[in-house]
Amino acid sequence: SQQGEEDPQALSIQEGENATMNCSYKTSINNLQWYRQNSGRGLVHLILIRSNEREKHSGRLRVTLDTSKKSSSLLITASRAADTASYFCATGGFSGGYNKLIFGAGTRLAVHP
Amino acid sequence: DTAVSQTPKYLVTQMGNDKSIKCEQNLGHDTMYWYKQDSKKFLKIMFSYNNKELIINETVPNRFSPKSPDKAHLNLHINSLELGDSAVYFCASSQARVGYGYTFGSGTRLTVV
């Protein structure tokens, strides 16, 4: 079964608005990562937040992590049409000591000009 | 220069055929992965190799056989293809230790007819 579940499944906003996507997971984690996937392309790593961190910023991206609630959010501020993509959270944990990511189902974001 | 490259990008084949997908990374990463993305965009890990050694082998039909001739290459061979194998297959690489993001290839869209 999937570790992470994103909410909402789809989000449609206007350019300039903020977009917030949420991710919930079930087991303990070492880190949580967010990826973007443009249509027909591979996934691109956006940001990683470790389990002992609560908030992280990268440009227009802000990620929060609440390990007590097993949830994370990704905020994209001042969205642009180019932000239209699917966004996935992935939980990072140990598999025999090795790096293993389990992905959620993704949120499809559409930003309209 | 492409960091993780997969070939072919598209693959259309008939049921029962055997096919291979190749993946190469020039990032110097120790670990490589195969993920399957279905029509609903769920990404599921299939295999992972660390420095040519199989470290993750999820519940995948034994018709799927990965091969890693060296740490920069991870190929996926599929025997007796079935309609349900139709999906996009992504190769990825990362540092071995937990806490690093993945770099994905652009995917191979496999269609079994």
Side-chain angles (χ1 to χ4, degrees):
Chain A
S1 64
Q2 297 294 117
Q3 164 75 308
E5 298 201 3
E6 277 100 332
D7 167 51
Q9 290 186 337
L11 182 59
S12 181
I13 60 174
Q14 297 295 126
E15 259 190 335
E17 293 180 344
N18 295 341
T20 300
M21 289 159 266
N22 302 298
C23 170
S24 60
Y25 58 92
K26 297 174 183 171
T27 63
S28 61
I29 61 172
N30 172 275
N31 64 86
L32 188 142
Q33 305 180 27
W34 286 89
Y35 288 76
R36 182 186 74 233
Q37 184 180 31
N38 290 88
S39 181
R41 307 294 296 271
L43 282 79
V44 174
H45 181 256
L46 295 176
I47 196 164
L48 180 153
I49 185 165
R50 302 188 191 281
S51 59
N52 62 354
E53 297 175 311
R54 292 295 167 258
E55 189 170 311
K56 205 159 183 181
H57 296 253
S58 176
R60 295 184 295 114
L61 306 180
R62 182 173 79 102
V63 168
T64 61
L65 179 64
D66 186 336
T67 52
S68 66
K69 294 181 179 177
K70 292 187 167 57
S71 67
S72 173
S73 68
L74 171 67
L75 168 68
I76 304 174
T77 60
S79 63
R80 306 165 182 168
D83 294 328
T84 295
S86 291
Y87 291 82
F88 294 85
C89 71
T91 51
F94 297 93
S95 177
Y98 292 104
N99 193 2
K100 178 180 179 180
L101 288 183
I102 299 177
F103 286 82
T107 293
R108 292 187 308 280
L109 173 66
V111 182
H112 303 283
Chain B
D1 289 335
T2 304
V4 179
S5 60
Q6 326 178 198
T7 55
K9 190 170 175 61
Y10 300 96
L11 189 51
V12 181
T13 188
Q14 291 188 324
M15 282 176 56
N17 283 352
D18 303 338
K19 290 293 178 186
S20 292
I21 306 171
K22 296 187 176 182
C23 180
E24 176 181 3
Q25 56 97 2
N26 62 5
L27 297 165
H29 288 161
D30 292 321
T31 308
M32 296 184 71
Y33 312 83
W34 280 110
Y35 278 80
K36 179 181 180 180
Q37 187 173 45
D38 64 21
S39 58
K40 295 184 178 178
K41 301 294 186 185
F42 286 115
L43 267 161
K44 186 170 181 180
I45 189 167
M46 301 173 69
F47 301 103
S48 176
Y49 271 74
N50 181 70
N51 205 6
K52 301 192 296 177
E53 179 187 352
L54 180 66
I55 55 171
I56 296 173
N57 184 354
E58 297 291 300
T59 306
V60 176
N62 58 15
R63 298 182 295 104
F64 290 78
S65 54
K67 281 190 173 53
S68 181
D70 56 61
K71 75 173 193 176
H73 296 83
L74 179 61
N75 304 322
L76 183 65
H77 188 76
I78 315 170
N79 289 327
S80 303
L81 278 155
E82 301 176 357
L83 292 177
D85 297 332
S86 296
V88 182
Y89 292 85
F90 286 99
C91 177
S93 71
S94 77
Q95 299 284 3
R97 290 171 289 136
V98 174
Y100 289 89
Y102 288 11
T103 302
F104 279 83
S106 56
T108 295
R109 181 174 293 278
L110 172 65
T111 303
V112 183
V113 297

